[in-house]
Amino acid sequence: MGDAHIRTWRAGAVEHVELNRPDVRNALNDQTIAELTTWAEATAADRSVRVVVLGGAGKVFCAGADLTWFRAMAGYSPEENLRDARAGARMFHLLDSLPCAVIGRVHGAALGGGSGLASVCDIVVAADDAVFGFTEVKLGIIPAMIAPYSLAKIGRSAARELFLSGRRFTAQRALEIGLVHAVVPVADLDATVDRYVEELLSSGPEAIAEAKQLLRQIAHRPPEDVQDLMAESIAGRRASAEAQEGMRAFLEKRAPAWKATRDPQ
Ligand code: COA
């Protein structure tokens, strides 16, 4: 597709997806959201994908919502406006609930929905000169679609400061509040992402999917309320073929059969 807003490619078990509107700093409009939604649905169903790397083409990772598109909403009917908002909310939910591991590769800037995209990644590697921000209020809007995911990452205290001030902040601050996990010089970005990829390829794929699901299920619930869930979860998992193979491989001092690579299979 010549005018596609995202670009994807595979390297063995690793799926790369890149926002590809560099002229507008990868701002998210309805077409980008539709493409990411279709891609996320297909990826969620594709068991051969073990790790996703999400990045952006050009100077920055993502400048958030496409403000030209948002501005045009004044001419939409309330129903059309709500339909588009629901499509965006659904896209963030699909990305957040992908069963495979998702690594964000952030360079340049992650603003508004760009910081939202970072929030739905499991691991974020950022260039040390990248700028972050929940800048929506500076435009008179709010970070509604991304709020649940960003809140889960940075907590209410930082969210209150950053959602209300709309201030831009450094990658180092993003690291301190839990939005990113590694901050490196831009020249080391790909090598650092690759190290995480290697670690994830040697983790059990069903275990990753279940760990992600469990985290969503137990978030904000007291331990006493999730005793059964935790017991059922480990009981099912340790008896599974994947776990049996993983433990047998450890005891036999070899790699498990499900260890994946980036090489084409
Ligand atoms: N929506 C629509 N267009 C955007 C955009 C957005 N979110 N962000 C950038 N653009 C456009 C600019 O209007 C400009 O268009 P032009 O070439 O027609 O003038 C082009 O992208 C390049 O932007 P520019 O600001 O010149 O690039 P930069 O590399 O100097 O800075 C950013 C990049 C991301 C730091 C800066 O563009 C920015 O702050 N964008 C707004 C981010 C924001 O507040 N997003 C929240 C949305 S809710």
Side-chain angles (χ1 to χ4, degrees):
M1 217 181 345
D3 60 352
H5 287 193
I6 64 171
R7 195 167 79 87
T8 66
W9 66 99
R10 278 292 288 275
V14 185
E15 169 84 1
H16 293 261
V17 55
E18 186 175 70
L19 304 172
N20 192 26
R21 297 178 79 207
D23 290 352
V24 288
R25 303 302 181 258
N26 299 320
L28 304 166
N29 68 358
D30 50 352
Q31 184 180 330
T32 321
I33 288 168
E35 288 183 22
L36 275 173
T37 298
T38 303
W39 170 85
E41 284 169 338
T43 303
D46 184 347
R47 297 236 165 170
S48 69
V49 177
R50 299 277 287 266
V51 182
V52 164
V53 178
L54 169 64
K59 287 175 68 174
V60 315
F61 173 68
C62 178
D66 185 324
L67 299 171
T68 308
W69 172 56
F70 261 28
R71 218 175 55 134
M73 292 289 169
Y76 282 39
S77 70
E79 293 76 24
E80 288 168 332
N81 189 354
L82 193 57
R83 183 202 59 206
D84 271 18
R86 287 203 168 114
R90 180 160 181 269
M91 177 200 79
F92 279 106
H93 175 66
L94 283 168
L95 292 173
D96 185 68
S97 53
L98 279 173
C100 59
V102 181
I103 303 176
R105 180 198 183 281
V106 176
H107 72 295
L111 297 168
S115 279
L117 286 177
S119 302
V120 295
C121 293
D122 300 303
I123 296 164
V124 178
V125 180
D128 56 9
D129 58 355
V131 57
F132 292 78
F134 299 96
T135 50
E136 285 86 346
V137 283
K138 295 297 190 215
L139 304 155
I141 51 181
I142 54 169
M145 272 187 234
I146 63 173
Y149 314 108
S150 302
L151 180 64
K153 280 284 168 88
I154 71 177
R156 196 178 297 197
S157 177
R160 288 171 79 149
E161 179 210 5
L162 298 169
F163 283 17
L164 305 192
S165 67
R167 71 190 297 185
R168 295 173 187 227
F169 54 94
T170 62
Q172 184 57 39
R173 178 84 201 282
L175 181 74
E176 287 159 13
I177 60 177
L179 185 57
V180 314
H181 304 90
V183 176
V184 297
V186 71
D188 297 339
L189 208 46
D190 288 322
T192 309
V193 168
D194 284 350
R195 276 199 292 278
Y196 274 116
V197 166
E198 289 302 332
E199 283 176 13
L200 293 162
L201 290 177
S202 62
S203 299
E206 291 169 13
I208 284 183
E210 283 194 32
K212 287 185 72 164
Q213 192 183 19
L214 187 67
L215 284 173
R216 276 196 304 278
Q217 288 171 326
I218 65 174
H220 308 303
R221 293 173 65 185
E224 55 272 27
D225 285 5
V226 293
Q227 294 293 306
D228 285 347
L229 187 61
M230 293 189 299
E232 283 159 18
S233 181
I234 187 56
R237 190 94 298 276
R238 64 193 174 194
S240 71
E242 178 181 288
Q244 288 296 312
E245 165 61 7
M247 294 184 282
R248 195 180 314 117
F250 173 80
L251 296 170
E252 294 171 2
K253 304 189 192 315
R254 60 171 175 83
W258 38 253
K259 184 171 191 271
T261 71
R262 258 172 247 268
D263 304 325
Q265 337 259 291

